[in-house]
Amino acid sequence: MSVRPRKVTDRRIILHVDMDQFFAAVEEREHPEFKGRPVIVGADPKGGEGRGVVSTCNYEARKFGVHSGMPISRAWKRCPDAIYVRPNFKLYIETSTRIMKLLRRHADEFERWGLDEAFLDITSKVRNLKKARRLAEELKLKIYRSEKITCSIGIGPNKLVAKIASDYKKPDGLTVVGESSVKRFLAPLPVRRLLWVGKKTERRLNEMGIKTIGDLAAFDVSALVERFGAMGTQYHLFAQGIDESEVAERGEAKSVSRETTFEKDTNDYDLVLATINELSQEIHKEIVEDRKVFRTVTVKIRYENFETHTHGKTLPSFTNRLQDIQKTARELAQNYLRGDRMIRLVGVRLSTLASSKEQRTLA
DNA sequence: TCTGGGGTCCTAGGACCC
DNA sequence: TCTGGGGTCCTAGGACCC
């Protein structure tokens, strides 16, 4: 593979595809009788007593104020008559895989982002934004014809702008932002729309009087660095619409984990240890299938008050044995199984991964 | 309102080595 | 008896993404 570094001055055309309410859209397609009714994909609401959150919901459900990430018990209060379904990941993965395959064919560089989003670098495929728009329309049509699902597309000079653009008009939207209009496009939007500005950072920025991306762009960089360290510089660049990051397919996973929230908080530590054994078995199965070996085991414990701890250990050499996972995880968990504290969640993660082949040379 | 499950990356401190 | 600077690895926590 020839590696020619891209010059900073090279213009790029980046396209971001975001499937509209993906899980709910797939469910609607599979169940025509859902059409026109609020559909909520997520945890079992159990008549308002359920734990867990809304994964995705359709626009009919959003009219009731339901949105993804919302506790399912609250969604139930707002919309008890909705159709509630458990996520069917097998189906979503199959659908996603077909869509990603279709998209990949039209890109110089491709990057999947979760099951329902993707970045395409289409610089060499289209000569100008007009052609880019035409390609986007073609992709939307192809996806709809083959999958009966709509998507929203954003086009911009980099990933950041393309992603914000795809979110600008939904559902079934198409937003093109040329290089010369980037600042005008971003300035009035709330800072929260920027990639990597979540709830916490939004609040800290708001406290500094920074509400919009325009406010952030105009703010003194050194003051941002003082507050946010290296990220301060990043935020300031993002606010100007500057993002040099490449569209690149992700490599192999760097960690594998399983976690579960108990139906009721528990201080039955035998149950907790038995659950750790089960989670260990599941991850073990996965790494063996993927021909992976690991060195680090980490246990995660969440108490009833949501206080969360992780405790990990790196073993002296690579292994893929179930008993190494289970024994290490149990030992690590012991510190937390004291004083009768009620436990809400337990998890096990493996990291420092290598492929079994690679391991022979590492050993 | 009471907060899932799967990940990634960053930071900061300590251990250890030269 | 007092003690630098750099590099790497490990660990815990936290913010963020879908």
Side-chain angles (χ1 to χ4, degrees), chain A residues 345-359:
Chain A
L345 166 148
V346 61
V348 181
R349 184 173 76 238
L350 302 181
S351 53
T352 324
L353 301 177
S355 74
S356 316
K357 271 181 287 172
E358 215 177 307
Q359 183 231 352

Side-chain angles (χ1 to χ4, degrees), chain A residues 176-206:
Chain A
V176 181
V177 181
E179 195 132 41
S180 57
S181 44
V182 165
K183 284 189 183 164
R184 224 177 323 136
F185 171 70
L186 294 179
L189 301 175
V191 280
R192 184 68 164 78
R193 295 286 190 91
L194 286 177
L195 209 50
W196 314 128
V197 175
K199 229 177 184 166
K200 306 275 178 176
T201 308
E202 178 190 34
R203 199 169 62 217
R204 289 173 73 189
L205 288 168
N206 286 170

Side-chain angles (χ1 to χ4, degrees), chain A residues 31-278:
Chain A
H31 305 274
E33 69 275 19
F34 290 179
K35 204 77 194 157
R37 293 192 56 193
V39 176
I40 297 173
V41 182
D44 186 345
K46 296 184 179 168
E49 303 294 309
R51 288 191 142 174
V53 298
V54 174
S55 185
T56 321
C57 62
N58 66 1
Y59 284 89
E60 282 78 9
R62 286 179 205 196
K63 287 179 195 155
F64 292 86
V66 178
H67 55 81
S68 44
M70 172 183 278
I72 200 79
S73 53
R74 194 170 164 197
W76 178 265
K77 284 192 192 90
R78 296 195 173 190
C79 193
D81 296 328
I83 296 166
Y84 287 86
V85 288
R86 281 333 114 289
N88 179 352
F89 282 102
K90 187 167 175 286
L91 182 61
Y92 310 151
I93 289 169
E94 286 166 3
T95 307
S96 170
T97 304
R98 289 193 300 267
I99 294 170
M100 296 298 163
K101 196 176 159 194
L102 187 161
L103 291 173
R104 193 178 275 114
R105 289 208 306 270
H106 294 273
D108 300 320
E109 299 296 336
F110 181 82
E111 182 175 347
R112 190 167 74 80
W113 190 277
L115 285 180
D116 63 337
E117 295 184 25
F119 289 99
L120 286 71
D121 187 328
I122 53 170
T123 308
S124 87
K125 307 276 184 193
V126 294
R127 275 208 309 282
N128 52 47
L129 289 180
K130 210 171 166 184
K131 292 237 165 72
R133 177 186 286 275
R134 211 174 297 160
L135 174 59
E137 282 165 353
E138 184 192 326
L139 292 174
K140 281 163 69 80
L141 199 62
K142 278 188 171 167
I143 292 171
Y144 189 76
R145 281 196 182 137
S146 56
E147 299 293 340
K148 295 287 172 281
I149 284 174
T150 64
C151 63
S152 297
I153 293 184
I155 293 172
N158 55 49
K159 286 163 71 176
L160 174 81
V161 175
K163 176 139 170 75
I164 296 174
S166 72
D167 197 46
Y168 191 73
K169 188 172 176 288
K170 288 177 138 220
D172 204 12
L174 173 53
T175 304
V176 181
V177 181
E179 195 132 41
S180 57
S181 44
V182 165
K183 284 189 183 164
R184 224 177 323 136
F185 171 70
L186 294 179
L189 301 175
V191 280
R192 184 68 164 78
R193 295 286 190 91
L194 286 177
L195 209 50
W196 314 128
V197 175
K199 229 177 184 166
K200 306 275 178 176
T201 308
E202 178 190 34
R203 199 169 62 217
R204 289 173 73 189
L205 288 168
N206 286 170
E207 281 165 5
M208 297 166 78
I210 300 168
K211 293 262 195 310
T212 66
I213 296 178
D215 294 340
L216 181 57
F219 211 83
D220 178 40
V221 199
S222 52
L224 292 171
V225 171
E226 211 173 291
R227 279 294 265 276
F228 298 99
M231 280 311 288
T233 318
Q234 265 308 309
Y235 294 145
H236 197 249
L237 286 171
F238 282 167
Q240 335 274 323
I242 298 169
D243 170 23
E244 294 292 334
S245 67
E246 304 280 343
V247 174
E249 197 105 35
R250 304 239 173 180
E252 312 232 308
K254 295 183 171 156
S255 68
V256 181
S257 68
R258 283 290 180 283
E259 65 183 54
T260 186
T261 297
F262 294 108
E263 287 199 14
K264 289 177 76 177
D265 299 338
T266 182
N267 59 359
D268 177 350
Y269 297 156
D270 288 337
L271 172 65
V272 175
L273 290 172
T275 307
I276 284 175
N277 277 342
E278 281 172 33

